[in-house]
Amino acid sequence: MSSHRRTTMVSHVLGCLLILSVAVAYSQENPHDKGNTDTDAGIGLPITTTDTNAEFVDGQCSSDSCNNFDDVDDILDNSDLEVPYDKLKLLLRSGEILLIDVREPEELVAIGRIDGSINIPLGDVADAFSLPDADFLNNYGVDKPSRDSNDIVFYCRTGRRSLIAVKTARRKGYSKARHYPGGIVEWLETEMTS
């Protein structure tokens, strides 16, 4: 096995573990959010499964088919979804961006955030983009973007959750949603060295 393939597999496994750990943690805090839906524990994390008999117990799918994250990996290589650091800086300067931090509020307090961003935790993204315009404005302090907006950019800590947020938004009809794959980690590192 080549080192690139091994690295890719390790990254995939670690990403899946992160997603599952977030789901389990959320389900322990919110035991009423369980159900047989297309998201695990009702928090907006997409699961790819064709198993209609799959059930969720303590935030985890009971079927092996729920662990197929190939469709997330398929869009990992799609560069039209990514906004690199330099482009993000330009978009922020121009004001032509709705930058959405999908981390939990505690993470924003502990690590900080990118100025000009709003916070919609990953578990709330699907519901947020289903809200009526007035409710979105009331909840997040900004106008709800149109479905064809090219200005929606998600970010998180290192890019995995923001990629899931893109997928969730696109499922809701926001076909041009993108993400900043470097996340707050790259942002802070780059800002400190520039």
Side-chain angles (χ1 to χ4, degrees):
M1 181 182 297
S2 73
S3 64
H4 174 71
R5 177 131 173 92
R6 189 177 13 253
T7 302
T8 302
M9 287 177 63
V10 169
S11 296
H12 179 75
V13 169
L14 291 175
C16 290
L17 289 174
L18 172 66
I19 292 167
L20 290 174
S21 66
V22 169
V24 169
Y26 184 89
S27 68
Q28 289 171 346
E29 292 175 14
N30 300 286
H32 63 281
D33 279 347
K34 293 186 178 84
N36 198 8
T37 67
D38 69 343
T39 59
D40 58 346
I43 65 168
L45 295 177
I47 288 184
T48 302
T49 181
T50 56
D51 185 351
T52 57
N53 295 317
E55 293 188 21
F56 296 91
V57 178
D58 292 332
Q60 295 194 14
C61 180
S62 63
S63 169
D64 288 337
S65 63
C66 292
N67 295 323
N68 179 359
F69 289 93
D70 290 341
D71 55 340
V72 173
D73 289 332
D74 288 344
I75 64 173
L76 280 172
D77 296 328
N78 197 343
S79 61
D80 73 320
L81 297 176
E82 297 180 355
V83 177
Y85 172 83
D86 293 335
K87 174 87 172 174
L88 182 60
K89 288 283 282 191
L90 290 173
L91 289 169
L92 285 166
R93 277 191 217 122
S94 73
E96 296 177 13
I97 185 174
L98 174 57
L99 184 59
I100 303 171
D101 189 328
V102 297
R103 294 175 299 147
E104 294 300 315
E106 306 82 51
E107 292 177 88
L108 277 67
V109 172
I111 300 172
R113 66 180 188 86
I114 299 174
D115 287 341
S117 65
I118 65 168
N119 179 230
I120 304 177
L122 181 59
D124 298 336
V125 170
D127 290 338
F129 282 89
S130 297
L131 288 172
D133 293 354
D135 291 344
F136 190 96
L137 176 61
N138 187 46
N139 289 352
Y140 303 109
V142 296
D143 289 329
K144 183 177 176 183
S146 64
R147 291 187 188 274
D148 63 347
S149 174
N150 195 33
D151 300 334
I152 305 167
V153 179
F154 295 99
Y155 80 97
C156 60
R157 184 173 181 275
T158 58
R160 186 72 180 182
R161 286 177 282 178
S162 60
L163 181 62
I164 294 168
V166 167
K167 185 174 177 188
T168 301
R170 286 186 173 210
R171 282 185 175 163
K172 292 288 182 183
Y174 294 84
S175 61
K176 296 180 182 177
R178 299 174 291 166
H179 83 121
Y180 169 50
I184 192 70
V185 169
E186 179 185 84
W187 179 267
L188 292 173
E189 287 174 358
T190 307
E191 289 290 298
M192 291 169 109
T193 60
S194 22

